[in-house]
Amino acid sequence: MRIALDAMGGDYAPEAIIKGALLAAEQLEKEDEILLIGQEEVVHSLLKEYGYTGQNIKVVNATQVIGMAEHPTKALSQKTDSSIAVGYGMLKAQQADAFCSAGNTGAMLVGAMFSVKTIEGIIRPTIAGFVPKLSGGFGVILDVGANAECKPEVLEQFGETGSIYAKYVLGIENPKVGLMNLGEEESKGTVVTQAAHQRLKNNPNVNFVGNLEGRDLFNDKADVIVCDGYTGNIIIKMAESIYEIMHEKNIKDPFFDNFNYETAGGSPILGINGNAVIGHGVSSPLAVSNMVVLAQKMISSKISERFRKNYSV
């Protein structure tokens, strides 16, 4: 498999990205390749500086970089030789099986929509996050930032796509789906969440367990947590802050270590014709390595093909 990695994206690029690629290369199979996309001379120079002599990291030249604060659509249209544009071009041309970047999140989303495009039948692609469970393992929460406002039918579809991801990537046989709300009762919530509850309840393709409250995030009530991107983003950022606070206070616990963004490495974009993972802007080498490993799992599970099969008419 070939995993394209944006060498220029992120607050600590390219150094942290290339170090992460070196860590990931140690975990991949011999025949797997990491395709580092970026300014060729810079990337080759750093690989040499870090003593890399292996064969499964290749360099793909991209002369331009999209900054973290640039307008996504404008930057992609004007910087056609940027590392993000080149990465998506390779994904579309099937020269890469996955594309990962810790760069401009908006550009990653816009790039997906205009290159590999949304799978037919998917209303809105979604960014998925991961929630550690007290009993072990992880659940998946979606959306965590792509869609700040969602119609009921979109939330329903998040339950479907989240279930497929949980089954084939996380290995949960019959994932339980819950709708994040402000109460357990069906009558609770906004007009949107009330309607979404009824749609999920009557959907034979999901194992719907009802509404969830905030206290249910880390227990076993649900494996798939459905919410709009506004709510999901707040939840994920709050979880990250818990780890940071405990780290500052020198409190160590294996469960709370899973709140560290480095553990998951990134957030997959679900519902597009290909495998794409968005990393945290401050990604460290460990986070980058785990982002690549996450992409490897997505490729192995054939998750994008499973989405297409599920929504094909």
Side-chain angles (χ1 to χ4, degrees):
M1 64 181 67
R2 297 159 297 178
I3 301 172
L5 176 62
D6 178 5
M8 314 307 290
D11 293 344
Y12 303 116
E15 292 83 1
I17 309 301
I18 294 172
K19 288 179 180 178
L22 295 175
L23 288 174
E26 297 174 1
Q27 303 179 61
L28 301 180
E29 301 295 331
K30 289 182 180 179
E31 62 273 15
D32 295 339
E33 290 184 340
I34 297 174
L35 310 173
L36 278 173
I37 305 172
Q39 295 167 346
E40 201 168 21
E41 290 184 7
V42 174
V43 177
H44 275 303
S45 175
L46 286 170
L47 285 172
K48 183 178 180 180
E49 180 182 332
Y50 300 147
Y52 179 70
T53 57
Q55 298 297 316
N56 59 344
I57 293 181
K58 311 294 183 185
V59 179
V60 178
N61 190 42
T63 60
Q64 297 172 308
V65 179
I66 294 177
M68 300 296 276
E70 288 191 67
H71 187 279
T73 305
K74 184 177 180 180
L76 280 167
S77 64
Q78 294 180 348
K79 295 183 174 181
T80 56
D81 198 41
S82 65
S83 49
I84 290 180
V86 171
Y88 271 122
M90 295 181 70
L91 189 62
K92 181 180 180 180
Q94 298 184 350
Q95 296 170 343
D97 301 301
F99 175 46
C100 305
S101 175
N104 187 306
T105 299
M108 282 294 288
L109 285 169
V110 172
M113 298 285 284
F114 286 95
S115 59
V116 294
K117 302 185 184 305
T118 304
I119 291 171
E120 187 175 356
I122 294 284
I123 305 169
R124 294 269 191 92
T126 175
I127 302 176
F130 302 100
V131 178
K133 294 295 184 176
L134 284 163
S135 59
F138 288 84
V140 59
I141 177 172
L142 60 170
D143 185 26
V144 296
N147 305 281
E149 295 182 75
C150 298
K151 294 180 179 179
E153 55 267 34
V154 173
L155 292 174
E156 178 191 13
Q157 198 168 80
F158 289 171
E160 294 175 345
T161 55
S163 293
I164 295 169
Y165 188 92
K167 180 176 181 178
Y168 293 105
V169 181
L170 300 183
I172 303 171
E173 183 56 34
N174 187 25
K176 294 173 288 187
V177 177
L179 176 66
M180 183 53 61
N181 211 327
L182 48 76
E184 294 181 347
E185 299 84 358
E186 289 188 32
S187 59
K188 290 292 182 70
T190 64
V191 171
V192 171
T193 54
Q194 288 176 24
H197 182 108
Q198 294 305 314
R199 295 183 72 99
L200 286 163
K201 180 181 176 180
N202 294 307
N203 188 325
N205 297 318
V206 297
N207 179 17
F208 186 55
V209 296
N211 287 338
L212 305 176
E213 296 180 311
R215 61 187 174 186
D216 296 316
L217 274 172
F218 310 115
N219 62 30
D220 289 329
K221 186 171 180 180
D223 305 298
V224 178
I225 299 160
V226 175
C227 59
D228 59 62
Y230 184 94
T231 303
N233 191 270
I234 290 172
I235 289 172
I236 287 294
K237 296 291 175 60
M238 184 183 70
E240 290 176 3
S241 75
I242 292 173
Y243 169 79
E244 292 168 0
I245 291 168
M246 295 187 71
H247 184 71
E248 288 177 6
K249 292 183 174 293
N250 201 30
I251 301 172
K252 297 186 182 297
D253 183 276
F255 171 71
F256 288 105
D257 286 345
N258 290 325
F259 284 48
N260 182 359
Y261 80 93
E262 294 175 311
T263 303
S267 297
I269 306 175
L270 304 183
I272 60 173
N273 287 294
N275 301 299
V277 184
I278 301 175
H280 203 298
V282 297
S283 285
S284 66
L286 177 59
V288 172
S289 174
N290 286 335
M291 175 168 57
V292 172
V293 172
L294 173 59
Q296 179 196 38
K297 291 177 181 176
M298 292 172 67
I299 297 166
S300 298
S301 71
K302 301 184 181 346
I303 191 65
S304 183
E305 292 89 335
R306 294 185 191 279
F307 287 139
R308 281 197 292 271
K309 183 178 179 180
N310 186 76
Y311 291 103
S312 63
V313 179

